Amino acid sequence: MTETQFLERLAEVLMADRAIARDTPLESLSGWDSMGQVALVAMLDETLHHQLPPGTLQGCKRVGDIVALIGQKLDAADEAADSDRRG
Amino acid sequence: MLSCVKCHLPETRLTNDDLAALFPEWPSDRIFQKTGIRERRVAGPDETAGDLAFQAAERLLEGRDRSRIGFVLHCTQSPDYLLPTTACLLQDRLGLPQRCGALDFNLGCSGYIYGLALADGLLRAGNADAVLLLTGETYTKLLDPKDKGTRTIFGDAGSATLLERTSSNTLHSFVFGTDGSGAEFLIVPGSGLRRTAGPRPLEMNGPEVFNFTVRVVPPLIDRILERARIEFQDVDFFVFHQANAFMIEHLRRRLRIPADKFALSLEYVGNTVSCSIPIAIESALADGKIRPGMRILLAGFGVGLSWAGCMLDWKG
């Protein structure tokens, strides 16, 4: 999964009514409540087979904090492209 | 070993519409979509975990010889008193013999499996011919009325299981696990004698508890199968602690368990903590989903953090 695809899935899971980016504050998303976080844990486990270390969710303030937790599991090619775009 | 399971639910129902009226930001269809629960039962103001376990035990013991019970085990985290032990009160209320041993043990969602292991040990050691394993839980009394996260999930119940040395339904391949470093994820601060926090309602970090289950349950299942020396496809039916439908359906899909081999019995009772597995077993027996000759895998996981599982070979 590429980072772009991941952000699209994350937007669905957190019921965002607009596109989200790394700097989007999680508190600004109506779906960032306990149910939304449970859905996020399920999505990470299902799509990336990734389980978070205990206590890491509380530290997430922006979408980028979640990307950072799973960064190495995202498609490296996409990260390179993303880096070029930022460039 | 395991002869019979009976459960009891309190009368009062708390529906999703009731909750949506209190918490308009969570419409009743979203509550159902995210939890798989339509309603939960709530114990009355004067109704305790001991009362719920008592009612379940009365259902179970009706027409049976109570003098054969050599031990009563009661699992609860909402005891009638800090002391005396609820199991002692239940020995008297149920008319069990005075030569009967009685003890409470404090565990939640994994408690039923631990109770089965304790009962199995008592029977195998020859310390009793029949053990009455009770669970009673009234978590709703521990909840913050304003906490929609926990009020949508938890319901109250009682259960009674009879284990006898003569029964051919055998329990085996027990596996246990504990990680006390996650205690804070499901806790009632100030509920005991450690008063650093003052008495507060139950606090649950649902995402962290779920994160814990996705970490520990798949290896738990592997260890049970390894101990039982059977393959995954040899298991005929799976009964997991009924935490909430979203969580256990996720585990079912991840473990590739077919839906028809998987117990889902919380729609009208909610998460009943240590009562959820016996409720699921009683319901599966009534529906014919558990039949003679089946190999059943049981798994409980939650507060502690604590987990356990075993195999139940059902002969009927």
Side-chain angles (χ1 to χ4, degrees):
Chain A
M1 179 182 276
T2 65
E3 181 173 326
T4 310
Q5 288 166 333
F6 176 74
L7 290 179
E8 284 168 8
R9 284 297 304 273
L10 191 62
E12 276 171 40
V13 165
L14 299 181
M15 300 190 308
D17 50 11
R18 61 189 190 285
I20 59 173
R22 283 191 182 220
D23 61 355
T24 306
L26 290 164
E27 291 295 339
S28 71
L29 304 171
S30 65
W32 184 248
D33 56 13
S34 63
M35 284 190 187
Q37 290 174 18
V38 164
L40 168 65
V41 170
M43 189 265 273
L44 296 179
D45 185 47
E46 198 155 338
T47 58
L48 298 169
H49 291 194
H50 186 81
Q51 295 97 39
L52 299 173
T56 45
L57 273 177
Q58 286 108 312
C60 294
K61 303 294 177 213
R62 291 176 184 275
V63 166
D65 297 332
I66 297 172
V67 176
L69 289 174
I70 47 109
Q72 70 277 21
K73 294 230 172 171
L74 294 176
D75 187 340
D78 183 67
E79 281 177 15
D82 194 44
S83 162
D84 288 347
R85 277 198 298 278
R86 284 199 302 272
Chain B
M1 297 281 169
L2 196 158
S3 301
C4 187
V5 180
K6 296 287 179 193
C7 300
H8 174 77
L9 300 171
E11 288 295 317
T12 305
R13 294 162 198 261
L14 180 67
T15 67
N16 289 352
D17 286 345
D18 297 335
L19 288 165
L22 295 168
F23 308 109
E25 65 279 22
W26 278 11
S28 64
D29 55 348
R30 188 180 180 216
I31 297 174
F32 179 70
Q33 183 200 350
K34 293 295 181 185
T35 64
I37 301 166
R38 292 191 193 279
E39 60 184 44
R40 321 98 196 110
R41 299 294 188 95
V42 179
D46 299 320
E47 195 171 29
T48 68
D51 294 332
L52 300 176
F54 170 78
Q55 295 295 344
E58 280 295 326
R59 278 189 69 208
L60 179 97
L61 293 171
E62 196 180 346
R64 292 181 194 270
D65 178 6
R66 300 180 187 219
S67 71
R68 290 187 56 252
I69 306 292
F71 224 103
V72 56
L73 302 168
H74 180 230
C75 178
T76 188
Q77 297 193 309
S78 46
D80 290 20
Y81 304 97
L82 200 55
L83 62 125
T85 307
T86 309
C88 294
L89 306 177
L90 289 167
Q91 172 273 330
D92 181 56
R93 265 179 95 180
L94 290 166
L96 303 179
Q98 288 193 357
R99 55 179 166 69
C100 175
L103 64 85
D104 277 12
F105 61 101
N106 178 325
L107 278 173
C109 311
S110 62
Y112 185 71
I113 309 295
Y114 280 84
L116 292 178
L118 292 171
D120 190 61
L122 287 165
L123 294 171
R124 286 181 192 274
N127 288 322
D129 289 327
V131 176
L132 184 60
L133 168 61
L134 306 177
T135 68
E137 213 53 89
T138 56
Y139 262 36
T140 64
K141 293 177 192 287
L142 304 173
L143 305 181
D144 178 351
K146 298 185 293 297
D147 183 359
K148 57 183 187 279
T150 53
R151 290 195 67 195
T152 51
I153 297 290
F154 291 110
D156 301 330
S159 83
T161 302
L162 182 64
L163 297 105
E164 296 174 289
R165 202 164 359 170
T166 51
S167 167
S168 54
N169 300 316
T170 51
L171 292 158
H172 61 94
S173 307
F174 281 95
V175 169
F176 308 99
T178 308
D179 179 7
S181 73
E184 67 186 273
F185 296 144
L186 187 41
I187 191 166
V188 185
S191 56
L193 301 183
R194 186 175 293 282
R195 289 287 181 198
T196 51
R200 291 214 300 262
L202 180 143
E203 294 175 2
M204 180 176 74
N205 186 328
E208 286 293 348
V209 173
F210 181 45
N211 195 25
F212 144 75
T213 65
V214 299
R215 274 199 318 275
V216 305
V217 174
L220 169 68
I221 306 308
D222 288 345
R223 285 174 61 204
I224 297 167
L225 297 176
E226 211 172 285
R227 283 212 71 189
R229 294 181 181 172
I230 58 171
E231 299 294 323
F232 177 81
Q233 57 271 21
D234 298 330
V235 179
D236 299 300
F237 199 65
F238 293 80
V239 182
F240 285 6
H241 161 58
Q242 308 281 298
N244 81 49
F246 180 86
M247 290 187 187
I248 64 171
E249 271 293 306
H250 172 80
L251 290 170
R252 183 186 70 74
R253 285 196 307 275
R254 278 287 275 127
L255 292 161
R256 300 178 191 280
I257 301 170
D260 62 343
K261 284 186 168 189
F262 194 72
L264 200 58
S265 63
L266 76 177
E267 192 171 337
Y268 292 98
V269 295
N271 176 339
T272 54
V273 195
S274 56
C275 305
S276 83
I277 293 174
I279 287 173
I281 293 174
E282 187 185 12
S283 158
L285 281 165
D287 296 345
K289 289 179 179 165
I290 293 179
R291 298 181 296 278
M294 279 189 159
R295 281 183 281 207
I296 300 142
L297 188 150
L298 311 177
F301 37 82
V303 59
L305 301 169
S306 168
W307 59 100
C310 68
M311 292 299 303
L312 166 62
D313 290 346
W314 191 259
K315 301 288 192 290

